[in-house]
Structures are given as structure tokens and as C-alpha cells.
Amino acid sequence: MQKQLNRILVINPGSTSTKIGVFDNDVQILEKTIRHSTEELADFPAIIDQFQFRKQTILQALDEEGMNVSKLAAVCGRGGLLRPIEGGTYAVNEEMLNDLREGYSGQHASNLGGIIANEIAEGLNIPAFIVDPVVVDELAPIARVSGFSLIERKSIFHALNQKAVARRYAKETGRSYKDLRLIVTHMGGGITVGVHEDGKVIDVNNGLHGDGPFSPERAGTVPAGDLVELCFSGQYYRHEIMKKLVGQGGLVGYLGTNDAVTVEKRIQKGDKDAQMIYDAMAYQVAKEIGSASTVLKGQVDAIILTGGLAYGKDFVKVISDRISWIADVVVHPGENELQALAEGASRVLDGEEQARIYPNG
């Protein structure tokens, strides 16, 4: 039976841009990045105040591209910093909108995704969704124990892309995502290594400012005692330390750039420091994957490498050489966030899954 054609608008707001896509089911027919100048955004005291401005730029862009919004079947936005929830596609509701507006778990441009999706969808009398926000939390109870009784491990990771490539791998191999045991590693500005078992991410490092490998912009796990000493040395304010951990950590801290292509060019020209740091990042990624494999007792169906860094063949090879003994290594480069949002909405519209109800599923 042929699937019904559902046209879906997807919206992914970033700090200085809004990426949009239009899909017929999960086939992309339009992709566009709308840039927002510093001057334009300066008019808004808070991120949340930008939603009407960004909504209008989206509608204008669609009009310029000749897209008739009356043909849309649904609008799907990037999920923001909500309450911890299980993975899946969620219908936007009033409780979600309130948490996005208030910034329940923090203020971020992604909070605008659900709000803008709802604003556009309401005017067309069609559903609005979000899919797998960064706050997806499916950790096993044992994975929450940090070893320091005042701190619990948190699940903050690239849930949207990790879940999407895991489902894609399942489809490619003719299996159900819920039947697979996978280690999915997203490698971008931050790096997260997720343990996927029975359709849930039962363990993952906190990719924002918690633990795991260092990345192009983040320090990852650092020696705790030395960090405490640095915090109380009197040399730095709190925000300066946080900036060194997130934003100025990792490759930026060592090499002054977060651009992997630039680092690779320096290596090709014989820069031994760049080689050492780049190899160390790959080493830490491989070590985290090895650690994750113990969660599954070594019974791993596949290891998937994804994210922007997965385009780097040399980087991927260094990692693969260390981990291929565990399981087959599958590479899905890029973030593919618009595609992942469209696939999430399409699964609901096609009746493959039920839309979940925020916040309790």
C-alpha cells in the first residue's frame, strides 16, 4: 500500500540562524538557512522574545521559495531544554510551551523550535511536534550514580541525531531498533557516546559540560582535584572557568581553533602539536566507546560514528583501529537534524507510532 503524502515543515533554530526544511514524508524538497545578524537579534532582550521575528522570517522564506503553507500536514520543531523525558515524537501542548517559554532547564535558541512550530501549525489547524530533544533521559538507575553523593549523572546528549542514525541502521539491516544493542557516537562541537539497548539510551556521557572525551570546544572529563584547585586559586571567576570547560575547551584550548579541517591541514604541514592533540581526541573517543561496550557486556551489534567529525577519514580510521575488535564500525557522517525531525513527524503521521504526551509520555 502506498503511503499517504504528508508535507512537513521542520524548524531548527540556532543562536544566529534558523534552519528550515520541507519534506514530503521523509524526502527533502527544500532546505534553507536563514541568517540573523547581531543587529537584528540585539532588539530582543531575551532569546524567547525572538519567536515572532523568527516566525515571520520563516514564512517569508517559504513564500520566496514558492512553498504553499496550506499544503502542510504538520510542523515539527527542534526540542528545547525541557524536563527530562523519554525519547520519541511529542505533540506540542500547553505545558510544553510554558516550560519552553520559562526555560525550564535553561535558555537556548532550540527552545524556540516548539513555540514557532506551534504558532505556524495553529494558524493552519494542523499538528505541531518536537522530536528527541537534548534532555532525553532514559538512563538506567545504576548509570546515574556518579561516585560523589551530592552530584547525580545527567543525560544531556545529541539525542536527535543519535536516535535517528540508530533507527536508520535498524532499517538498513532489516531489524527493529528495539531489538538492537548499539553504541552510537556523535562527534561534533561536543562528543557524546550513547549505549542503545532495547530502543533506549541507557547510558551516555553528559555532552554539555559533564564528562566524556574532549571535543573541538569542550574539555570533557578533567581531573577533579586539579579543577577544584583552579576554581579556588583566585585567578578566575566562575563564568571564566565555565567558558574554559565549554566553548574554549578541547581543540580550542590546545590549538586555538574548533575547526577540524584546519587542524588536519596543520597536521599535513608537519605540525606535531596538532597531531598529538588530534590523536588524543580520537584516543579518548575510542576509550569512551570501549568503556561503553562493558555496559552491554561486549554484546554489541554495531558501533555507529556520526556527526561532523565523522567526515574526517583519518580521524575515523584512528578510532576504528582501536575499536573494530568490539563490533562492526558503521559511519553516518553529518548531523542530519532536519531529516531526523521530518522522520520523527512522519512516523506519527503514518501511524507507525503514537505521538507522546509531554511531560509523562
Side-chain angles (χ1 to χ4, degrees), residues 202-258:
I202 61 170
D203 201 344
V204 66
N205 63 295
N206 180 335
L208 184 58
H209 49 63
D211 51 11
F214 74 82
S215 73
E217 298 178 351
R218 294 166 198 172
T221 300
V222 297
D226 293 338
L227 180 60
V228 170
E229 292 289 340
L230 195 62
C231 289
F232 288 90
S233 67
Q235 298 178 60
Y236 303 101
Y237 291 105
R238 178 183 180 276
H239 73 275
E240 291 175 313
I241 291 288
M242 288 301 297
K243 193 67 176 175
K244 287 185 179 297
L245 293 174
V246 183
Q248 295 175 356
L251 293 187
V252 174
Y254 284 108
L255 302 175
T257 180
N258 64 357

Coordinates of all heavy atoms in Angstrom, one line a residue, residues 202-258:
I202 N 20.6 3.8 27.6 CA 20.6 3.5 29.0 C 21.9 4.1 29.7 O 21.9 4.1 30.9 CB 20.6 2.0 29.2 CG1 21.8 1.3 28.5 CG2 19.3 1.4 28.7 CD1 21.9 -0.2 28.9
D203 N 22.8 4.6 28.9 CA 24.0 5.3 29.5 C 24.6 6.2 28.4 O 24.6 5.8 27.2 CB 25.0 4.3 29.9 CG 26.0 4.8 31.0 OD1 26.0 6.1 31.1 OD2 26.7 4.1 31.6
V204 N 25.0 7.3 28.8 CA 25.6 8.3 27.9 C 26.4 9.3 28.7 O 25.9 9.7 29.8 CB 24.5 9.0 27.0 CG1 23.6 9.8 27.8 CG2 25.2 9.7 25.8
N205 N 27.5 9.8 28.2 CA 28.1 10.9 28.9 C 27.4 12.3 28.6 O 26.8 12.5 27.6 CB 29.6 11.1 28.4 CG 29.7 11.4 26.9 OD1 29.3 10.6 26.1 ND2 30.3 12.6 26.6
N206 N 27.5 13.1 29.6 CA 26.9 14.5 29.5 C 27.7 15.3 28.6 O 28.8 15.7 28.9 CB 26.9 15.1 30.9 CG 26.3 16.5 31.0 OD1 26.3 17.2 30.0 ND2 25.8 16.9 32.1
G207 N 27.2 15.5 27.4 CA 28.0 16.2 26.3 C 28.0 17.7 26.5 O 28.8 18.4 25.7
L208 N 27.3 18.3 27.4 CA 27.3 19.7 27.6 C 28.5 20.2 28.4 O 29.4 20.9 27.8 CB 26.0 20.2 28.2 CG 25.8 21.7 28.3 CD1 25.9 22.4 27.0 CD2 24.5 22.1 29.0
H209 N 28.6 19.9 29.6 CA 29.7 20.2 30.4 C 29.9 19.2 31.6 O 30.2 19.6 32.7 CB 29.6 21.7 31.0 CG 28.3 22.0 31.6 ND1 27.9 21.3 32.8 CD2 27.3 22.8 31.3 CE1 26.7 21.8 33.1 NE2 26.4 22.7 32.3
G210 N 29.8 18.0 31.2 CA 29.9 17.0 32.3 C 31.1 16.1 32.2 O 32.1 16.2 32.9
D211 N 31.1 15.1 31.3 CA 32.2 14.1 31.3 C 32.3 13.6 29.8 O 31.7 14.0 28.9 CB 31.8 13.0 32.2 CG 30.4 12.4 32.0 OD1 29.8 12.7 31.0 OD2 30.0 11.6 32.9
G212 N 33.3 12.6 29.7 CA 33.5 12.0 28.4 C 34.7 12.6 27.7 O 35.5 13.3 28.3
P213 N 34.9 12.3 26.4 CA 36.0 12.7 25.7 C 36.0 14.3 25.5 O 35.0 14.9 25.5 CB 35.9 12.1 24.3 CG 34.7 11.1 24.4 CD 33.9 11.5 25.6
F214 N 37.2 14.8 25.4 CA 37.3 16.2 25.0 C 36.9 16.3 23.5 O 36.9 15.3 22.8 CB 38.6 16.9 25.3 CG 39.8 16.6 24.5 CD1 40.0 17.2 23.3 CD2 40.8 15.7 25.0 CE1 41.1 17.0 22.5 CE2 41.9 15.4 24.2 CZ 42.1 16.1 23.0
S215 N 36.5 17.5 23.1 CA 35.9 17.7 21.7 C 36.5 19.0 21.2 O 37.3 19.6 21.8 CB 34.4 17.7 21.8 OG 34.0 19.0 22.4
P216 N 36.1 19.4 20.0 CA 36.6 20.6 19.4 C 36.4 21.8 20.3 O 37.2 22.8 20.3 CB 35.8 20.8 18.1 CG 35.6 19.4 17.7 CD 35.3 18.6 18.9
E217 N 35.3 21.8 21.2 CA 35.0 23.0 22.0 C 34.9 22.7 23.5 O 34.8 23.7 24.3 CB 33.7 23.7 21.5 CG 33.7 24.2 20.1 CD 32.4 24.8 19.7 OE1 31.4 24.6 20.4 OE2 32.4 25.4 18.6
R218 N 34.9 21.5 23.9 CA 34.6 21.1 25.3 C 35.7 20.3 25.9 O 36.3 19.4 25.2 CB 33.3 20.4 25.4 CG 32.1 21.3 25.0 CD 30.8 20.7 24.7 NE 30.0 21.6 23.9 CZ 28.9 21.3 23.4 NH1 28.4 20.1 23.5 NH2 28.2 22.2 22.7
A219 N 35.9 20.5 27.2 CA 37.0 19.9 27.9 C 36.8 18.4 28.3 O 37.7 17.6 28.4 CB 37.4 20.7 29.2
G220 N 35.5 18.0 28.4 CA 35.1 16.7 28.8 C 35.6 16.4 30.2 O 35.6 17.3 31.1
T221 N 35.9 15.2 30.5 CA 36.3 14.8 31.9 C 37.7 15.4 32.2 O 38.6 15.2 31.3 CB 36.4 13.3 32.0 OG1 35.1 12.7 31.8 CG2 36.9 12.9 33.4
V222 N 37.8 16.1 33.3 CA 39.2 16.6 33.7 C 39.4 16.2 35.1 O 38.5 15.9 35.8 CB 39.2 18.2 33.6 CG1 39.0 18.6 32.1 CG2 38.1 18.8 34.5
P223 N 40.7 16.1 35.5 CA 41.0 15.7 36.9 C 40.3 16.6 37.9 O 40.5 17.8 38.0 CB 42.5 15.8 37.0 CG 43.0 15.7 35.5 CD 41.9 16.4 34.7
A224 N 39.4 16.0 38.7 CA 38.5 16.8 39.6 C 39.3 17.6 40.6 O 39.0 18.8 40.9 CB 37.6 15.8 40.3
G225 N 40.3 17.0 41.3 CA 41.1 17.7 42.3 C 41.8 18.9 41.7 O 41.8 20.0 42.3
D226 N 42.4 18.8 40.6 CA 43.1 19.9 39.9 C 42.1 21.0 39.5 O 42.4 22.2 39.6 CB 43.8 19.4 38.7 CG 45.0 18.5 39.0 OD1 45.5 18.6 40.2 OD2 45.4 17.7 38.2
L227 N 40.9 20.6 39.1 CA 39.9 21.6 38.7 C 39.4 22.4 40.0 O 39.3 23.6 39.9 CB 38.7 20.9 38.1 CG 37.5 21.8 37.7 CD1 38.0 22.8 36.6 CD2 36.4 21.0 37.1
V228 N 39.3 21.7 41.1 CA 38.9 22.4 42.3 C 40.0 23.4 42.7 O 39.7 24.5 43.1 CB 38.7 21.3 43.5 CG1 38.5 22.0 44.8 CG2 37.4 20.5 43.2
E229 N 41.2 23.0 42.6 CA 42.3 23.9 43.0 C 42.3 25.1 42.1 O 42.4 26.3 42.5 CB 43.7 23.2 42.8 CG 43.9 22.1 43.8 CD 44.2 22.6 45.2 OE1 44.5 23.8 45.3 OE2 44.0 21.9 46.2
L230 N 42.0 24.9 40.8 CA 42.0 26.0 39.9 C 40.8 27.0 40.2 O 40.9 28.2 40.1 CB 41.8 25.5 38.4 CG 42.1 26.5 37.3 CD1 43.6 26.9 37.3 CD2 41.8 25.8 35.9
C231 N 39.7 26.4 40.5 CA 38.5 27.2 40.8 C 38.7 28.1 42.0 O 38.1 29.2 42.1 CB 37.3 26.3 41.1 SG 36.6 25.4 39.7
F232 N 39.5 27.6 43.0 CA 39.7 28.4 44.2 C 41.1 29.1 44.3 O 41.5 29.5 45.3 CB 39.5 27.5 45.5 CG 38.1 27.1 45.7 CD1 37.6 26.0 45.1 CD2 37.3 27.9 46.5 CE1 36.2 25.6 45.3 CE2 35.9 27.6 46.7 CZ 35.4 26.4 46.1
S233 N 41.7 29.2 43.1 CA 43.0 29.8 43.0 C 43.0 31.3 43.1 O 44.0 32.0 43.3 CB 43.7 29.4 41.7 OG 43.1 29.9 40.6
G234 N 41.8 31.9 42.8 CA 41.7 33.3 42.8 C 42.0 33.9 41.4 O 41.9 35.1 41.2
Q235 N 42.4 33.1 40.5 CA 42.8 33.6 39.1 C 41.6 33.8 38.2 O 41.7 34.5 37.3 CB 43.7 32.6 38.5 CG 45.0 32.4 39.2 CD 45.9 31.4 38.5 OE1 46.3 31.6 37.3 NE2 46.2 30.3 39.2
Y236 N 40.5 33.1 38.5 CA 39.4 33.1 37.6 C 38.0 33.3 38.3 O 37.8 32.8 39.4 CB 39.3 31.7 36.8 CG 40.6 31.4 36.1 CD1 41.5 30.5 36.6 CD2 40.9 32.0 34.8 CE1 42.6 30.2 35.9 CE2 42.0 31.7 34.1 CZ 42.9 30.8 34.7 OH 44.1 30.5 34.0
Y237 N 37.1 33.9 37.6 CA 35.7 34.0 38.0 C 35.0 32.7 37.6 O 35.5 32.0 36.7 CB 35.0 35.2 37.5 CG 35.5 36.5 38.0 CD1 36.3 37.4 37.3 CD2 35.1 36.9 39.3 CE1 36.7 38.6 37.8 CE2 35.5 38.1 39.8 CZ 36.3 38.9 39.1 OH 36.8 40.1 39.6
R238 N 33.8 32.4 38.1 CA 33.1 31.2 37.8 C 32.8 31.1 36.3 O 33.0 30.1 35.7 CB 31.7 31.2 38.6 CG 30.9 30.0 38.3 CD 29.5 30.1 39.0 NE 28.7 29.0 38.7 CZ 27.9 28.9 37.6 NH1 27.9 29.9 36.8 NH2 27.1 27.8 37.4
H239 N 32.3 32.2 35.7 CA 32.0 32.2 34.3 C 33.2 32.0 33.4 O 33.1 31.4 32.3 CB 31.3 33.5 33.8 CG 32.2 34.7 33.7 ND1 32.4 35.5 34.8 CD2 32.8 35.2 32.7 CE1 33.2 36.5 34.4 NE2 33.5 36.3 33.2
E240 N 34.4 32.4 33.9 CA 35.6 32.1 33.1 C 36.0 30.7 33.1 O 36.4 30.1 32.1 CB 36.8 33.0 33.7 CG 36.6 34.5 33.4 CD 37.7 35.3 34.1 OE1 38.0 35.0 35.3 OE2 38.2 36.2 33.5
I241 N 35.8 30.0 34.3 CA 36.1 28.6 34.4 C 35.1 27.8 33.5 O 35.5 26.9 32.7 CB 35.9 28.1 35.8 CG1 37.1 28.6 36.7 CG2 35.9 26.5 35.9 CD1 38.4 28.0 36.4
M242 N 33.8 28.2 33.5 CA 32.8 27.5 32.7 C 33.2 27.7 31.2 O 33.0 26.7 30.4 CB 31.4 28.0 33.0 CG 30.9 27.6 34.3 SD 30.7 25.8 34.5 CE 29.6 25.4 33.2
K243 N 33.6 28.9 30.8 CA 34.0 29.1 29.4 C 35.2 28.2 29.0 O 35.2 27.8 27.9 CB 34.3 30.6 29.2 CG 34.4 31.0 27.8 CD 33.0 31.0 27.1 CE 33.1 31.5 25.7 NZ 31.8 31.3 25.0
K244 N 36.1 28.0 29.9 CA 37.3 27.2 29.6 C 36.8 25.7 29.5 O 37.5 24.9 28.8 CB 38.3 27.3 30.7 CG 39.1 28.7 30.6 CD 40.2 28.7 31.6 CE 40.9 30.1 31.4 NZ 41.6 30.2 30.1
L245 N 35.8 25.3 30.1 CA 35.2 23.9 30.0 C 34.4 23.8 28.8 O 34.4 22.7 28.1 CB 34.4 23.6 31.3 CG 35.2 23.5 32.6 CD1 34.3 23.2 33.7 CD2 36.2 22.3 32.5
V246 N 33.6 24.8 28.5 CA 32.6 24.7 27.4 C 32.8 26.0 26.5 O 32.5 27.1 26.9 CB 31.1 24.7 27.9 CG1 30.2 24.5 26.7 CG2 31.0 23.5 28.8
G247 N 33.3 25.8 25.3 CA 33.5 26.9 24.4 C 34.9 27.1 24.1 O 35.3 27.3 22.9
Q248 N 35.8 27.1 25.2 CA 37.2 27.3 25.0 C 38.0 26.1 25.4 O 39.2 26.1 25.6 CB 37.7 28.5 25.8 CG 37.1 29.8 25.2 CD 37.4 31.0 26.1 OE1 38.1 30.9 27.1 NE2 37.0 32.2 25.6
G249 N 37.3 24.9 25.6 CA 38.0 23.7 26.0 C 38.4 22.9 24.7 O 38.2 23.4 23.6
G250 N 38.9 21.7 24.9 CA 39.2 20.8 23.8 C 40.2 21.4 22.8 O 41.2 22.0 23.2
L251 N 39.9 21.2 21.5 CA 40.8 21.7 20.5 C 41.1 23.2 20.6 O 42.2 23.7 20.4 CB 40.3 21.4 19.1 CG 40.1 20.0 18.7 CD1 39.7 19.9 17.2 CD2 41.5 19.2 18.8
V252 N 40.0 24.0 20.9 CA 40.2 25.4 21.1 C 41.2 25.8 22.1 O 42.1 26.6 21.9 CB 38.8 26.1 21.4 CG1 39.0 27.6 21.7 CG2 37.8 25.9 20.3
G253 N 41.2 25.1 23.3 CA 42.1 25.4 24.3 C 43.5 25.1 24.0 O 44.5 25.8 24.3
Y254 N 43.7 24.0 23.3 CA 45.1 23.5 22.9 C 45.6 24.1 21.6 O 46.8 24.5 21.6 CB 45.1 22.0 22.7 CG 45.0 21.2 24.0 CD1 43.9 20.5 24.3 CD2 46.1 21.1 24.8 CE1 43.8 19.7 25.5 CE2 46.1 20.3 26.0 CZ 44.9 19.6 26.3 OH 44.9 18.9 27.5
L255 N 44.7 24.3 20.6 CA 45.2 24.7 19.3 C 44.6 26.0 18.8 O 45.0 26.4 17.7 CB 44.9 23.5 18.3 CG 45.5 22.2 18.6 CD1 45.0 21.1 17.6 CD2 47.0 22.2 18.6
G256 N 43.7 26.6 19.5 CA 43.2 27.9 19.2 C 42.1 27.8 18.1 O 41.7 28.9 17.5
T257 N 41.6 26.7 17.7 CA 40.6 26.5 16.7 C 39.7 25.4 17.0 O 40.1 24.4 17.6 CB 41.2 26.3 15.3 OG1 40.1 26.2 14.3 CG2 42.1 25.1 15.2
N258 N 38.4 25.5 16.6 CA 37.5 24.3 16.7 C 37.2 23.7 15.4 O 36.4 22.8 15.3 CB 36.1 24.8 17.4 CG 35.4 25.8 16.5 OD1 35.9 26.2 15.4 ND2 34.2 26.2 16.9

